[in-house]
Amino acid sequence: MALFNSTSSVFQINDGSSLRNISPYITSIDGLPGAKELIDVTALGASGRAFSPGLENIVITLELWWSDDASVGPDTVFRLVRALAAATAWDYGPEGSGSGAQKYSGTCWLRNFTIQTRVGNKLTARVELQVEGVVTLGTYT
């Protein structure tokens, strides 16, 4: 069994012009590979519930350090993503992005971007990305 250090993880999102690696700002990624709806198909007289697989409904949540660094800072990137009129590409490599490393990818919409300010803390932000369609599992080349 291989164990990986999360400091190697990579998350990239297309801001409308190119894929931006925002990994240096991220402190937490949650939601992948994600939930799949189960439709209740239980009939009368059944002794237990029955289900049929439904649609995927995946929300990726990122917690990160806030920064307005040009090109790669979360404030810069997510302001651009928020303005997009179409779903945008993203990819996530839990073990990094080296050749052969596992990669989750797809397209998403920016659902929420919130800057969080607290006295005595660094500026942080929280992002929710609504995946459109399904998440694809592959590898980096």
Side-chain angles (χ1 to χ4, degrees):
M1 170 174 74
L3 299 176
F4 297 92
N5 187 327
S6 63
T7 60
S8 299
S9 296
V10 171
F11 189 90
Q12 302 178 109
I13 189 163
N14 191 312
D15 66 2
S17 63
S18 65
L19 209 55
R20 303 291 184 181
N21 182 354
I22 58 168
S23 307
Y25 303 94
I26 296 175
T27 59
S28 171
I29 299 173
D30 189 29
L32 289 166
K36 187 168 192 162
E37 292 176 352
L38 294 175
I39 301 166
D40 190 335
V41 293
T42 308
L44 294 174
S47 58
R49 296 267 181 208
F51 297 93
S52 177
L55 301 173
E56 290 189 9
N57 186 18
I58 299 167
V59 177
I60 303 168
T61 303
L62 307 174
E63 292 180 352
L64 34 84
W65 301 117
W66 183 89
S67 172
D68 63 353
D69 291 343
S71 299
V72 295
D75 192 59
T76 304
V77 171
F78 288 113
R79 263 189 291 116
L80 294 170
V81 171
R82 183 177 187 158
L84 295 175
T88 193
W90 61 271
D91 70 58
Y92 168 55
E95 57 188 336
S97 58
S99 181
Q102 188 177 55
K103 174 174 78 170
Y104 293 92
S105 60
T107 58
C108 68
W109 293 92
L110 179 64
R111 183 174 167 171
N112 194 11
F113 175 51
T114 313
I115 300 168
Q116 300 170 327
T117 304
R118 289 204 174 126
V119 173
N121 287 340
K122 289 185 175 186
L123 256 156
T124 61
R126 179 180 170 91
V127 173
E128 293 177 0
L129 302 169
Q130 178 69 57
V131 173
E132 180 169 89
V134 298
V135 172
T136 302
L137 179 59
T139 58
Y140 287 97
T141 56

